Amino acid sequence: MTPSPSPGSADLDFTLDRSSPVPLYYQLAQQLESAIEHGSLPPGSLLGNEIDLANRLGLSRPTVRQGIQSLVDKGLLVRRRGIGTQVVHSQVKRPLELSSLYDDLETAGQNPSTRVLRNEIQPASAEVAAALGISEGAEVNVVERLRLTHGQPMAQLRNHVPAGLLDLDTGRLESTGLYRMMRSAGVTLHSANQSIGAREATAEEAELLEEPEGAALLTMRRTAYDDTGRAVEYGSHVYRASRYTFQFQLLVRG
Amino acid sequence: MTPSPSPGSADLDFTLDRSSPVPLYYQLAQQLESAIEHGSLPPGSLLGNEIDLANRLGLSRPTVRQGIQSLVDKGLLVRRRGIGTQVVHSQVKRPLELSSLYDDLETAGQNPSTRVLRNEIQPASAEVAAALGISEGAEVNVVERLRLTHGQPMAQLRNHVPAGLLDLDTGRLESTGLYRMMRSAGVTLHSANQSIGAREATAEEAELLEEPEGAALLTMRRTAYDDTGRAVEYGSHVYRASRYTFQFQLLVRG
DNA sequence: CCCCGCTGTTTGTCAGGACAAATCTTTGAC
DNA sequence: GTCAAAGATTTGTCCTGACAAACAGCGGGG
């Protein structure tokens, strides 16, 4: 028998800083996560039981459990009673965040840029009012942008924001993403309803996106809410299907 | 001043069964959730502080916190230090599960039915082998189905399952969904990578789905993994964009 | 040789307590 | 009247301790 590559409980050294303002369980979770990413904790390996781990780190078991639990919720670890906690064996990358297209493209090295086609205050149409939960005719900031990657058109983005919520400077809209501007304005996003579909390009869309007329386009409509339940943005976007797909990962909630 | 509709801390009566095998924190979470659904806890209302709640229920504070935390993770509640825990004000329905199309349609009252077009064992193509993480040419079960709602074609579903993992009886495939068959066969789904795009219908697809040739179609590719990290299914599906959109909700992980 | 039950291991659940940090409210000073 | 400081309230973090439940592996009986 060769020495079996069975999941041995790896013992790594973690450094915890009790004087740091960042919680201990979170420090543990971060170091575990980076150990998993760097391969120090290969897929399938066991973590060693929680009580030993707590003793070795000088922590209590609930604190260790809290740190581990956060990674279980992320889908990186799996717990089994009587067995232990082991690193999940599949490739887990992004658990589908409420991310902005701009950030997604930037992290993918796609070199995104933006051209603002429209940026004005208008009374809300019936569709926009219903999506934002405001009265028809109330003032909303309408922004229409063309998103490009490597100089090629990628998507037409049309956003509606309740007037007064945000200062939508055209210059900043061209240099960064809308969600970044929201967060720096103190708006904390909480949830969003999304709807993804497809349809054929109209003549105007075809010209703007440099696609043949009637080409298949991906559509996405999204209403985003902050943590008080207030609708802060309604977006109606169109993507070139030949150059973009939505990619994400789902987790089964146990 | 009229009596302000400010969020008063509602005091409800919960019944906990300590002899039940279902955990106390979970009993609390379920009753809180149903109270929110039924409107006993209206959006914006406060829950009352955890210590009082624990005393009233005869529970410890960690147990109460665990129950509340599970609803926070679901997006139903929001905690604020110094303020309290309150019911989130937006409409939260489904936090995007890894659900099967069949179940989705059935719960939506769409009366789904299935016609199996193909069900056979074949050697894996390069694409399928890469998606499932198996060697090219290994045997896979290929299932091709037409999904209908109210007798109308809705989607063409093509699934690939490693041979031997599951007994794919054609009769059961027509009367239920693939994911239900997997679960009843002891396969516990853990995560999946999805990719949603669009393209124009080929002549064959157009005829099968009763769409004009070149019509916009929604495409979805998904690889599903069980909790050991093993790929258990690769699906490549095509939906009629005129009759179907992907709808789901996202939560921002704090 | 196979099946059953026993035992050790590990996570799941629950209790009770303590202090820190963030927030709102009230009070006081100017 | 306005602003700042002090206090009260509530959640966030962390500790110790205990028992229950599920699982793997071992050994005995058939």
Side-chain angles (χ1 to χ4, degrees):
Chain A
M1 270 300 200
T2 64
S4 90
S6 74
S9 62
D11 58 333
L12 309 170
D13 47 327
F14 298 108
T15 53
L16 297 173
D17 179 9
R18 295 194 95 93
S19 68
S20 162
V22 41
L24 294 174
Y25 77 89
Y26 196 76
Q27 293 183 37
L28 173 61
Q30 280 185 320
Q31 295 185 41
L32 276 173
E33 186 168 355
S34 76
I36 293 172
E37 251 182 66
H38 293 136
S40 320
L41 281 173
S45 61
L46 290 171
L47 238 61
N49 77 62
E50 299 168 348
I51 303 187
D52 280 356
L53 195 57
N55 289 337
R56 272 190 295 154
L57 297 175
L59 295 174
S60 70
R61 190 178 161 218
T63 301
V64 172
R65 273 184 71 78
Q66 195 175 359
I68 292 177
Q69 187 61 44
S70 67
L71 296 188
V72 172
D73 292 339
K74 275 191 183 179
L76 292 172
L77 297 177
V78 174
R79 318 177 94 140
R80 290 169 190 274
R81 212 185 293 206
I83 311 288
T85 304
Q86 63 185 139
V87 181
V88 88
H89 197 266
S90 75
Q91 55 279 37
V92 175
K93 296 271 168 137
R94 296 182 308 170
L96 180 52
E97 305 166 25
L98 178 48
S99 58
S100 82
L101 176 61
Y102 187 87
D103 289 348
D104 281 352
L105 294 174
E106 194 172 52
T107 57
Q110 289 290 305
N111 188 27
S113 63
T114 308
R115 197 194 318 161
V116 174
L117 306 175
R118 222 169 99 206
N119 184 2
E120 54 191 18
I121 306 276
Q122 281 199 342
S125 68
E127 177 200 359
V128 173
L132 289 177
I134 60 180
S135 55
E136 194 173 339
E139 289 193 331
V140 292
N141 209 326
V142 181
V143 174
E144 198 173 312
R145 294 171 292 171
L146 183 68
R147 180 82 85 218
L148 308 100
T149 58
H150 302 303
Q152 294 280 327
M154 162 76 90
Q156 178 195 14
L157 312 174
R158 185 158 31 211
N159 294 91
H160 305 261
V161 180
L165 183 70
L166 208 59
D167 178 39
L168 289 175
D169 178 63
T170 297
R172 286 193 62 203
L173 274 172
E174 300 214 327
S175 64
T176 184
L178 177 62
Y179 279 20
R180 278 195 199 172
M181 291 178 65
M182 281 199 174
R183 203 167 51 171
S184 65
V187 176
T188 60
L189 261 43
H190 176 261
S191 63
N193 289 322
Q194 280 196 351
S195 172
I196 296 178
R199 61 174 168 77
E200 293 153 41
T202 66
E204 296 81 20
E205 290 167 339
E207 187 185 346
L208 181 67
L209 295 174
E210 299 180 15
E211 286 274 325
E213 192 172 338
L217 297 179
L218 261 178
T219 65
M220 194 265 273
R221 278 203 290 248
R222 165 157 71 183
T223 305
Y225 303 88
D226 72 357
D227 53 6
T228 69
R230 193 178 41 166
V232 293
E233 184 249 340
Y234 169 65
S236 179
H237 310 318
V238 180
Y239 303 79
R240 290 175 75 178
S242 60
R243 290 174 45 97
Y244 189 76
T245 57
F246 290 96
Q247 290 189 339
F248 48 86
Q249 187 172 55
L250 299 186
L251 294 178
V252 176
R253 54 172 184 166
Chain B
M1 269 301 199
T2 64
S4 88
S6 73
S9 64
D11 57 334
L12 309 171
D13 48 326
F14 298 109
T15 54
L16 299 173
D17 179 9
R18 296 193 93 94
S19 67
S20 162
V22 41
L24 293 174
Y25 78 89
Y26 196 76
Q27 292 183 36
L28 173 60
Q30 279 185 320
Q31 294 184 43
L32 276 174
E33 186 168 354
S34 76
I36 293 171
E37 253 183 64
H38 293 134
S40 320
L41 281 173
S45 62
L46 290 169
L47 238 60
N49 76 62
E50 299 168 347
I51 304 190
D52 280 357
L53 195 57
N55 289 337
R56 273 190 295 152
L57 296 175
L59 296 175
S60 69
R61 190 180 162 216
T63 302
V64 171
R65 273 183 72 79
Q66 193 175 1
I68 291 177
Q69 187 61 44
S70 67
L71 296 188
V72 172
D73 293 339
K74 275 193 184 179
L76 292 172
L77 297 177
V78 174
R79 317 177 94 141
R80 290 170 189 274
R81 212 185 292 207
I83 311 287
T85 304
Q86 63 185 141
V87 181
V88 87
H89 196 267
S90 76
Q91 56 280 34
V92 175
K93 297 271 168 141
R94 295 183 310 167
L96 182 52
E97 305 166 24
L98 177 48
S99 57
S100 81
L101 176 62
Y102 187 87
D103 290 346
D104 281 352
L105 294 174
E106 193 172 53
T107 58
Q110 289 290 306
N111 190 25
S113 63
T114 308
R115 196 192 321 157
V116 175
L117 306 176
R118 219 170 102 205
N119 183 4
E120 55 192 16
I121 307 275
Q122 281 199 342
S125 67
E127 176 199 359
V128 173
L132 289 176
I134 59 180
S135 55
E136 193 173 341
E139 289 195 332
V140 292
N141 210 326
V142 180
V143 174
E144 197 173 313
R145 293 170 294 171
L146 182 67
R147 179 84 86 217
L148 308 101
T149 59
H150 303 304
Q152 294 278 329
M154 162 75 90
Q156 179 197 12
L157 312 174
R158 187 160 27 214
N159 293 92
H160 305 260
V161 179
L165 182 70
L166 207 59
D167 177 41
L168 289 175
D169 178 62
T170 297
R172 287 192 62 201
L173 274 172
E174 300 214 327
S175 63
T176 185
L178 177 62
Y179 279 21
R180 279 196 199 171
M181 290 178 65
M182 281 199 174
R183 202 166 54 173
S184 66
V187 176
T188 61
L189 262 43
H190 176 262
S191 63
N193 289 323
Q194 280 195 349
S195 172
I196 296 177
R199 61 175 169 77
E200 292 153 41
T202 66
E204 295 80 21
E205 289 167 338
E207 186 185 345
L208 181 66
L209 295 173
E210 298 180 15
E211 287 273 326
E213 192 173 339
L217 297 180
L218 260 177
T219 66
M220 194 265 273
R221 277 204 288 250
R222 164 156 71 184
T223 305
Y225 303 88
D226 71 358
D227 52 6
T228 69
R230 193 178 42 166
V232 294
E233 184 248 339
Y234 169 64
S236 178
H237 309 319
V238 181
Y239 304 79
R240 291 175 73 178
S242 59
R243 289 174 47 97
Y244 189 74
T245 58
F246 290 96
Q247 292 188 339
F248 48 85
Q249 188 172 53
L250 299 187
L251 295 178
V252 176
R253 52 173 185 170

